[in-house]
């Protein structure tokens, strides 16, 4: 029986290309790595269903503002109102509801976000972004492996955050670090380094590292 060789993300690829594995064959074996020159839907599905060009542009602007964790509360509040108007005009576009959940989370209004999310889960049971948000928020328990393919950058980010949380819960810091590196690389390629799910993952990773270092120092000094 042949020996199974484990290849790290930063190791030379076994195909002989001379490139690192993460820059060569990893994207082909991992569907959650965004390949160079691959165009994913940036944020939401169904935008092409909005017939009015001004409304379509407004939806994209709402996405840009509400998914950016560094934009202030007051400006987000303004775009939440605009998003409500879009939802009133186009209630059938489920990703607008998903964006509303994300917007409320970004404003720290978690109870309202969960309320909208639970309603959205009932109304749009087949929407993948809403399903992932349900996993992320604890409304539903996430599976170990997704039964569907990810189709947007936001979906990739949310699933990455869920996987990172799971790795941290298992104290698998090496895997968590690899997942975070994967998310950062995806963000760089898609020019979305301010995305809320990425920043949430960085924050949770930082907290975990601080706790781990604190425990290590405590053991070192016999505390």
């Amino acid at each position: 029986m042949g020996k199974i060789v484990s290849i790290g993300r930063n190791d030379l690829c076994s195909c002989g290309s001379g490139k690192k594995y993460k820059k060569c064959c990893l994207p082909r074996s991992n569907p959650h790595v965004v390949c160079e020159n691959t165009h994913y839907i940036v944020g939401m599905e169904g935008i092409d269903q909005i017939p009015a060009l001004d409304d379509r542009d407004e939806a994209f602007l709402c996405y840009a503002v509400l998914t950016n964790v560094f934009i202030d509360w007051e400006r987000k509040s303004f775009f939440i109102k605009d998003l409500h108007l879009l939802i009133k005009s186009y209630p059938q576009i489920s990703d607008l509801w998903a964006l509303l959940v994300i917007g409320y989370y970004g404003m720290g209004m978690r109870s309202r976000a969960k309320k909208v999310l639970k309603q959205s889960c009932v109304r749009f049971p087949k929407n993948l972004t809403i399903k992932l948000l349900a996993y992320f928020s604890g409304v539903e328990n996430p599976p170990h492996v997704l039964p569907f393919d990810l189709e947007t950058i936001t979906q990739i980010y949310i699933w990455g955050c869920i996987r990172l949380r799971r790795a941290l819960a298992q104290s698998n810091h090496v895997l968590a670090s690899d997942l975070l590196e994967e998310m950062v690389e995806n963000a760089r390629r898609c020019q979305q380094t301010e995305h809320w799910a990425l920043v949430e993952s960085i924050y949770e990773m930082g907290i975990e590292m601080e706790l781990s270092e604190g425990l290590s120092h405590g053991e070192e000094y016999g505390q």
Side-chain angles (χ1 to χ4, degrees):
M1 180 180 292
K3 183 180 179 181
I4 298 175
V5 179
S6 177
I7 303 174
R9 290 170 57 84
N10 292 305
D11 293 340
L12 289 178
C13 191
S14 59
C15 73
S17 66
K19 299 178 181 178
K20 289 184 178 180
Y21 179 51
K22 67 181 181 181
K23 297 287 187 180
C24 189
C25 289
L26 176 60
R28 291 192 289 274
S29 62
N30 184 348
H32 306 128
V33 175
V34 178
C35 301
E36 295 283 6
N37 302 319
T38 298
H39 298 285
Y40 279 84
I41 301 172
V42 173
M44 299 179 293
E45 298 176 278
I47 298 301
D48 57 336
Q49 298 173 21
I50 298 178
L53 290 178
D54 287 346
D55 288 347
R56 199 180 304 172
D57 290 343
E58 188 66 26
F60 278 117
L61 191 54
C62 285
Y63 171 82
V65 170
L66 295 176
T67 59
N68 188 327
V69 74
F70 299 115
I71 290 180
D72 62 83
W73 193 94
E74 186 175 352
R75 190 171 181 217
K76 284 189 176 184
S77 178
F78 177 83
F79 278 92
I80 281 284
K81 293 177 182 177
D82 281 358
L83 182 56
H84 273 287
L85 293 176
L86 285 169
I87 288 173
K88 188 175 181 179
S89 298
Y90 310 102
Q92 77 281 7
I93 299 181
S94 53
D95 262 31
L96 290 178
W97 293 86
L99 182 58
L100 184 61
V101 174
I102 290 170
Y104 280 138
Y105 267 119
M107 296 169 69
M109 303 170 71
R110 293 182 176 264
S111 59
R112 184 169 294 187
K114 274 199 171 184
K115 182 179 179 180
V116 175
L117 177 57
K118 289 178 180 178
Q119 294 171 345
S120 301
C121 287
V122 174
R123 186 166 185 169
F124 305 106
K126 295 183 179 180
N127 180 277
L128 304 187
T129 307
I130 290 172
K131 178 69 71 176
L132 287 164
L133 285 169
Y135 296 154
F136 173 83
S137 63
V139 171
E140 296 182 18
N141 293 322
H144 186 72
V145 179
L146 285 178
F148 49 80
D149 293 329
L150 303 177
E151 298 174 350
T152 71
I153 294 301
T154 289
Q155 291 171 8
I156 289 173
Y157 287 160
I158 298 173
W159 182 238
C161 191
I162 293 168
R163 293 162 68 208
L164 183 138
R165 283 179 172 180
R166 181 184 291 155
L168 292 178
Q170 297 170 348
S171 298
N172 191 339
H173 295 161
V174 173
L175 175 59
S177 180
D178 284 347
L179 291 171
L180 184 58
E181 182 182 348
E182 176 186 300
M183 292 180 72
V184 170
E185 182 69 10
N186 285 342
R188 182 190 65 78
R189 293 183 181 183
C190 300
Q191 298 181 346
Q192 291 202 357
T193 54
E194 300 87 7
H195 196 281
W196 67 274
L198 170 62
V199 176
E200 179 86 8
S201 296
I202 292 172
Y203 174 77
E204 292 189 13
M205 186 74 173
I207 293 295
E208 178 68 20
M209 291 298 98
E210 287 182 11
L211 289 173
S212 297
E213 288 178 7
L215 288 172
S216 297
H217 290 317
E219 292 173 358
E220 182 180 345
Y221 294 108
Q223 297 177 356

